[in-house]
Structures are given as C-alpha cells and as structure tokens.
Amino acid sequence: MGRVRSLLPARADFLLMARNPRRDLLAGITVAIVALPLALGFGVSSGLGAEAGLATAVVAGALAALFGGSNLQVSGPTGAMTVVLVPIVAEYGPGGVLTVGVLAGLILIALALLRAGKYMQYIPAPVVEGFTLGIACVIGLQQIPNALGVAKPEGDRVLVVTWRAVEAFVRTPNWTAVALTAGVAVVMLLGARWRPTVPFSIVAVIAATLVAQLFHLDAAAPIGELPSGLPAPSLGFLDLSALGSLMAPAVAVAALAALESLLSATVADGMTVGQKHDPDQELFGQGIANLAAPLFGGVPATAAIARTAVNVRTGAGSRLAALAHAAVLAVIVFAAAPLVSKIPLAALAGVLLATAIRMVEVGALRAMARATRSDALVLVLTAVATLALDLVYAVIIGLVVAGALALRAVAQQARMDQVDFRPDLPGEHSDEEHALLAEHIVAYRIDGPLFFAGAHRFLLELSEVADVRVVILRMSRITTMDATGALVLKDAVQKLNRRGIAVMTSGIRPGQRRVLESVGALDLLRLEGREYATTPEAIAGARAHLQGAGVLPAVPAQSPAPVSEEASR
C-alpha cells in the first residue's frame, strides 16, 4: 500500500496549481487549440475515427495530467502510437484495440510498482533519433490516402497501403484533396517560421473547412458525424477469450507509451529550470490514463512531445495547464461536434504531414551521423526497421545493435601488455642476474574488462607466449570479469601448463575471486601454489620454481625492497 501511495500526486503538486492559475489556463487553452486537429487526425489515422482521438485527448489527457509524474506533461493520441495501432486494428478490429489499451494500462501500472522508470534513461540517443525519424516517415506515409482523396486501401503495411493509394489516385485523380492538404501543410510550416507562437494548425484547418463549405467542394470528404459528447463508460468490448493473443500487442503498446512518455518528460525538464519528473509516477499516471480511455472508446495514449513543448513555451507551471487543455477539448466535444464534423479529411492529412516534417530535426540527425560510424549505423537501422517492421521491433533492433557495438568498443579497451618486472624484483640484483631471470620469466599486466565480448582474443594472445618457463599475470587492473573471462583464463593457464610453462598471478581482487572460484580457476592456481597477493611475492615464487627445476642456481634469501601495495599488484 505504501508503494502505491508514493506514486500518487503529492500535496505540493496541487499547491503549485494555485500559484499562477491565469497563466496555466491560458497555456492550456493554447495547447487545446494545437491539440484539436492532431487528436482528430490521429484518431482517423488509427482506424477508430475522429471521435476516438477526441475521447483519448479528453480522458487520457486529464488523468495523465492528474496522476502523472511531470507537472508540465500533456498526453493524448500521438503519431507514434497510431503507427503501432494500425496493424492491431487490421488484425483484431476496434474491440481488440480497446482491449489492448486496458492491458497496456495494467502493464504500465505494474512497471511503476516495480520501479522500472529509471531504466528508460539507458536507451541510446541514436536509437531515439532513428526511432523518431522512422515514426515521422510512417506518419507522413499514413496520410497519403486522405491527402490524395482516395479510400484507404486494405493492408496494415504502410508502404503497401501508400503504393495502392497512389495507384488509385492515378486512375481517378482528386486534385481538390491534394490542394487542401498542400495548403494546410504549407501554412503550418511557413507560419511556424514567421510566428512560432501562433497556432497555425487550427488557423489552416478552419480556412480549409471554410473553403470546402463556401465552394461546395464535394471532392473534399469531411470527417463525418461526431457524437455530441463522450459515450458512457463500458467494458462491452472486452473479449476474455482473446486476452492471450492480445498480450503481445499490449506489451508493445505499453513499451511505446513508457518510452515516449518518459522521453517527453525529460524534454520538458530540459526546457525549464527547477522542474524534475518522477519516472515511476509518470508510468503510473500513463497506466491510469490508458486503463480508463478505452472505457470511453479512446485509443491508447502517451505523452506528446510537441504538445508538451507548446505547453512549456506558453508559460505553463503546473498540472492545471494540461487539465485545462483536456477541459477545453471536452467543451468542444459537447458544444461544437457539428462544426468539427465538417473538417475535410485532407486538411487533417495536411496537419499531420506538417507535423511529421517538423518531427525531423536535421541538425540532430547530422550530428548523430557524424559522431561515430556506430551511431550512424544504429540510427539508420532503427529508422529503417521502424518503417519496414514496427516500432517495438525497431527499438529492440536498435538496442541490440547499439549494445553489441558498445560491447565491442569496451572489449577493445582490454589490453595485455608485457611489463618490466625489475621494479618489483625482491632484493638487490645485478644486471646479469636480472637478464638471467628475464630469460625465463615474463610478466603481463591485464588492463580493462575481461568478459565474453573480448575474452577469446585474450586467450589467443596468452597462448602464443613462447620461450619462457614462467608467466606472471598482474590482475589488479582488471575492471570487470565474467564467467566467460574466468573460463578463458583457466583454459589459458591449463594450455600453458601443458607446455611446461608455470603461471603465477598477483593482485586478484575480491570480485574477481568469486568469479574465478565459481569456474574452478582459482582452485587450479591454489593447487599449484601460484596465486599471490603482490607482484614481488609472485616473482619470488617464480624464482623458487625455477630454482626447484634446476634452471636457476640457489641463492640466499634476500629481504624484499620496500614497494607500495598498489604498485606491487
């Protein structure tokens, strides 16, 4: 119970709402104006209709604002979520999408209770940028049927649907729809450069609607009739027999909602001073929002980066702004549904095309591509996978490739260098004595990680040692070691022993000791009496071994020269 209580809004969050309510209300109204055409457009694109987009913006927007972990976050239907929902609608129908939303909400709440929010920060920037680029391309391609004024072809693959829509347009061109789409997109893109604070999306949509009505442009198909209010909450869509098959899509939706929401919250923190979101509370808020929205016919929701940015830039300082945005949209649903129903689908396509174009930050992509070849590869692979497969597979592929490349880079940092053991040689020795010892003993210092990604390269290097009787391994600078590294070390010791080469070790740390013990490598060294705390002790052991083998003449024991503990390992 205490864990749930820690995820609920604190008293300070509500006190913040009373600090400057006028500013928050103005910000909320501005965001609502920006969000209206996007909610309508994403609802249509998802396949559940404009009313589903509005229901999501109202219900999910209010609940995520109330229970979320960011004071500035604005939630609702988004392009990224639409990309995931289209194939789900095609396979399972509208009821399947609503069920997926409920399941995703439960998964998000579970993630919040498990305190999983902090792990989202480990997603590499090239994956996020490639993901965003891929989403922008998919959103743009999804608008092609409405932009060309043709019926949406069958299919759940955006490239196939786009090609079929172009073929249909070639057979029966609809230049009215093309003109309206292009006009709205151009007004939005140019207007954003001229007056960034003006919501040109709603201005362009109103203008396109007036043109279509005044000139009776029948070729510009409107949204169609909308309900004048939200439906009563219902679980009538729930099919318990289908829950098993819908679990995989629900996991995908929950993963996307978590990723996009926490990314948006991080962006909001970066745009302000003193604001910091709680990632686990944000997951909880998004879970509540996604649990409730389907009851009213809404699609799964996430935080919206563009709307959140508008909210911050217009002066929002508390949750009141996002709540006001949801309230304004609710008023529109109840009072202006007949007017909204006349908006041409081509105008919404223009809004989403412009949104997709603005999602692509050329400067960030160029910087990422120039950073390293690995970053460029991860970015391109993630973007292509988003376009050709789906978003969840794209993120998984991006993470796997980024992880593999990172492991490769870390593994390449591991080094095994031959070092002079003269500074660690106990007692005083002449050059002749040192030369005699160096003829039979070689010392190596291992630096960096010894783990599965690069351990076999280490085995190859160590196995090539020749023309000596003793190898001393200085291990104090190994940063990490896993079971693979320990097994490789054990294998190398055994191979050298079979060739008559004794192996001495020094400076094994407690963490390494546990791993070496688990695979029997430490027992092997202890059996031969060849594991030492310091390098001088290992050299003394090597000399005793050579004397016992008759390679070196016996000499009187000498006191070791003083040497620091760290240097002697």
Side-chain angles (χ1 to χ4, degrees):
M1 191 65 185
R3 180 168 291 190
V4 175
R5 191 179 297 113
S6 68
L7 296 172
L8 296 175
R11 184 168 178 268
D13 296 325
F14 296 106
L15 292 176
L16 195 62
M17 293 168 62
R19 182 174 297 176
N20 198 333
R22 180 180 177 184
R23 186 182 63 186
D24 286 335
L25 290 172
L26 288 174
I29 293 170
T30 303
V31 175
I33 293 171
V34 172
L36 175 60
L38 294 173
L40 295 170
F42 289 135
V44 171
S45 294
S46 71
L48 269 71
E51 61 272 20
L54 282 174
T56 306
V58 173
V59 177
L63 291 175
L66 187 61
F67 291 100
S70 170
N71 288 319
L72 305 175
Q73 192 98 281
V74 178
S75 299
T78 63
M81 188 60 75
T82 300
V83 172
V84 174
L85 296 180
V86 169
I88 299 176
V89 174
E91 186 170 355
Y92 301 103
V97 171
L98 300 180
T99 304
V100 163
V102 171
L103 293 174
L106 293 174
I107 293 171
L108 287 168
I109 292 173
L111 289 174
L113 293 174
L114 293 172
R115 306 296 186 190
K118 58 181 177 293
Y119 295 111
M120 290 295 170
Q121 64 184 314
Y122 297 116
I123 296 179
V127 174
V128 174
E129 292 296 338
F131 173 78
T132 305
L133 175 60
I135 289 172
C137 293
V138 174
I139 292 172
L141 291 173
Q142 283 180 341
Q143 309 317 309
I144 297 302
N146 286 336
L148 298 179
V150 300
K152 184 180 178 182
E154 293 294 326
D156 59 350
R157 293 295 178 190
V158 67
L159 293 173
V160 174
V161 171
T162 300
W163 179 254
R164 291 173 179 170
V166 171
E167 288 180 330
F169 177 79
V170 170
R171 289 194 297 268
T172 56
N174 184 344
W175 295 108
T176 300
V178 173
L180 286 176
T181 301
V184 170
V186 168
V187 168
M188 283 185 62
L189 294 173
L190 295 181
R193 289 176 173 270
W194 178 51
R195 289 282 192 274
T197 57
V198 177
F200 278 99
S201 58
I202 197 70
V203 172
V205 167
I206 291 172
T209 306
L210 291 175
V211 168
Q213 293 297 310
L214 292 174
F215 292 96
H216 305 288
L217 301 178
D218 296 332
I223 290 175
E225 186 177 354
L226 292 174
S228 56
L230 294 174
S234 170
L235 280 171
F237 58 85
L238 202 59
D239 181 5
L240 296 179
S241 64
L243 292 183
S245 60
L246 291 173
M247 188 55 67
V251 171
V253 168
L256 176 61
L259 173 64
E260 191 169 12
S261 298
L262 294 179
L263 177 63
S264 176
T266 302
V267 171
D269 289 349
M271 295 176 66
T272 60
V273 177
Q275 293 281 358
K276 186 170 178 59
H277 74 283
D278 182 327
D280 297 313
Q281 189 180 341
E282 182 60 30
L283 291 180
F284 183 78
Q286 293 297 331
I288 296 293
N290 279 285
L291 196 59
L295 306 183
F296 297 88
V299 297
T302 77
I305 296 177
R307 275 160 271 177
T308 299
V310 171
N311 194 39
V312 175
R313 284 198 295 262
T314 49
S318 75
R319 299 164 189 262
L320 182 60
L323 287 168
H325 135 271
V328 171
L329 290 176
V331 170
I332 293 172
V333 170
F334 282 98
L339 295 176
V340 172
S341 66
K342 298 182 185 299
I343 295 175
L345 290 171
L348 295 181
V351 170
L352 298 187
L353 278 172
T355 301
I357 292 171
R358 290 168 63 178
M359 284 176 66
V360 180
E361 297 184 13
V362 178
L365 293 175
R366 187 183 295 119
M368 207 65 64
R370 289 176 176 174
T372 66
R373 289 183 180 179
S374 297
D375 290 332
L377 176 62
V378 170
L379 189 153
V380 171
L381 278 178
T382 307
V384 171
T386 302
L387 189 58
L389 301 173
D390 66 46
L391 271 67
V392 176
Y393 282 128
V395 172
I396 292 173
I397 290 171
L399 288 175
V400 168
V401 174
L405 292 172
L407 285 174
R408 177 173 171 268
V410 171
Q412 288 176 340
Q413 294 176 3
R415 297 171 54 192
M416 188 179 72
D417 298 322
Q418 184 175 344
V419 293
D420 183 12
F421 59 82
R422 185 194 297 265
D424 300 303
L425 193 61
E428 297 294 331
H429 292 268
S430 65
D431 291 340
E432 290 78 11
E433 290 172 319
H434 181 268
L436 183 62
L437 288 171
E439 183 180 344
H440 300 288
I441 303 173
V442 63
Y444 288 98
R445 183 177 61 221
I446 308 172
D447 287 301
L450 184 60
F451 68 131
F452 71 93
H456 293 286
R457 177 170 59 88
F458 163 80
L459 172 62
L460 183 63
E461 291 180 18
L462 193 57
S463 299
E464 290 176 349
V465 174
D467 300 328
V468 295
R469 299 295 295 272
V470 179
V471 170
I472 296 175
L473 297 179
R474 300 178 60 172
M475 300 176 63
S476 64
R477 295 193 183 184
I478 296 178
T479 55
T480 185
M481 179 188 294
D482 67 356
T484 304
L487 283 169
V488 164
L489 180 63
K490 178 183 177 182
D491 194 20
V493 171
Q494 290 174 330
K495 286 185 176 181
L496 290 173
N497 287 345
R498 284 196 292 269
R499 291 168 49 198
I501 301 174
V503 179
M504 314 287 180
T505 62
S506 70
I508 297 178
R509 298 188 177 188
Q512 302 164 12
R513 189 176 298 278
R514 287 193 298 271
V515 181
L516 290 167
E517 283 178 340
S518 68
V519 300
L522 205 57
D523 292 337
L524 175 65
L525 294 169
R526 285 171 175 167
L527 187 65
E528 302 291 336
R530 294 170 181 170
E531 193 246 317
Y532 300 93
T534 65
T535 300
E537 292 174 358
I539 294 172
R543 186 170 56 188
H545 171 78
L546 293 175
Q547 289 169 353
V551 176
L552 294 180
V555 295
Q558 301 184 47
S559 300
V563 62
S564 70
E565 182 180 353
E566 180 61 31
S568 65
R569 288 179 176 173

